[in-house]
Amino acid sequence: MSEQPPDPTAQRMIRKARPEDVPAMLGFDTYASAHPERGRALQWAVEQGQCWVEVQGARVLGYVLLSHDFFDHGFVSLVVVAADQQRQGVALRLLAAAQQACLSDKLFISTNRSNRAAQALIAKAGFQPSGVVENLDPGDPELIYFKSLR
């Protein structure tokens, strides 16, 4: 699927993802092309109403997954933005949408220690360090962050 540039005259909006959005989301999610389980997980999250997208016109620019199965609190498991839309505020707006949709008073998110860009995004979105999980990815601990919503 070829990526169309967003229509510069179309307004950006965030909405719940629809099944027909999944091919576009997988099209710019480079990890998903090498890991088919990501596509299955993404499809499931959309079906469960746990995925939001930012769109401009008909083009999906990015997506966020939010569940509430992290010790009964909200957890953002994934934020992915099309390469040509990165560092333009898409991820911050998607995290703000996840905060609005969160049903608990705490929202958690995580990233690998090696992912400096994600760490900067998470800090900019107002999350605080909350802990570390070892042994998920060998030699690259998972950093957990938290934000109080109420």
Side-chain angles (χ1 to χ4, degrees), residues 13-85:
M13 65 176 283
I14 294 177
R15 61 166 170 76
K16 276 210 174 174
R18 303 174 186 144
E20 60 268 22
D21 296 326
V22 172
M25 294 174 356
L26 292 173
F28 61 75
D29 184 342
T30 55
Y31 182 89
S33 60
H35 299 86
E37 67 276 7
R38 170 91 131 231
R40 290 189 295 276
L42 183 56
Q43 183 70 47
W44 185 87
V46 170
E47 291 168 1
Q48 299 302 308
Q50 298 179 349
C51 182
W52 286 258
V53 291
E54 180 166 315
V55 296
Q56 186 172 25
R59 182 172 177 217
V60 177
L61 306 177
Y63 69 90
V64 63
L65 302 184
L66 168 69
S67 66
H68 291 86
D69 53 5
F70 186 75
F71 300 95
D72 295 325
H73 294 291
F75 184 76
V76 171
S77 59
L78 201 55
V79 180
V80 180
V81 176
D84 69 329
Q85 296 298 305

Side-chain angles (χ1 to χ4, degrees), residues 60-134:
V60 177
L61 306 177
Y63 69 90
V64 63
L65 302 184
L66 168 69
S67 66
H68 291 86
D69 53 5
F70 186 75
F71 300 95
D72 295 325
H73 294 291
F75 184 76
V76 171
S77 59
L78 201 55
V79 180
V80 180
V81 176
D84 69 329
Q85 296 298 305
Q86 292 175 1
R87 291 176 176 62
Q88 295 184 38
V90 175
L92 278 174
R93 290 189 294 274
L94 288 167
L95 285 175
Q99 291 173 52
Q100 290 289 345
C102 187
L103 302 174
S104 67
D105 60 350
K106 296 177 185 175
L107 181 60
F108 291 84
I109 190 169
S110 71
T111 191
N112 290 92
R113 181 171 285 155
S114 64
N115 192 338
R116 302 283 187 215
Q119 291 172 44
L121 167 69
I122 290 166
K124 191 171 186 178
F127 286 81
Q128 303 295 315
S130 186
V132 178
V133 176
E134 301 282 350

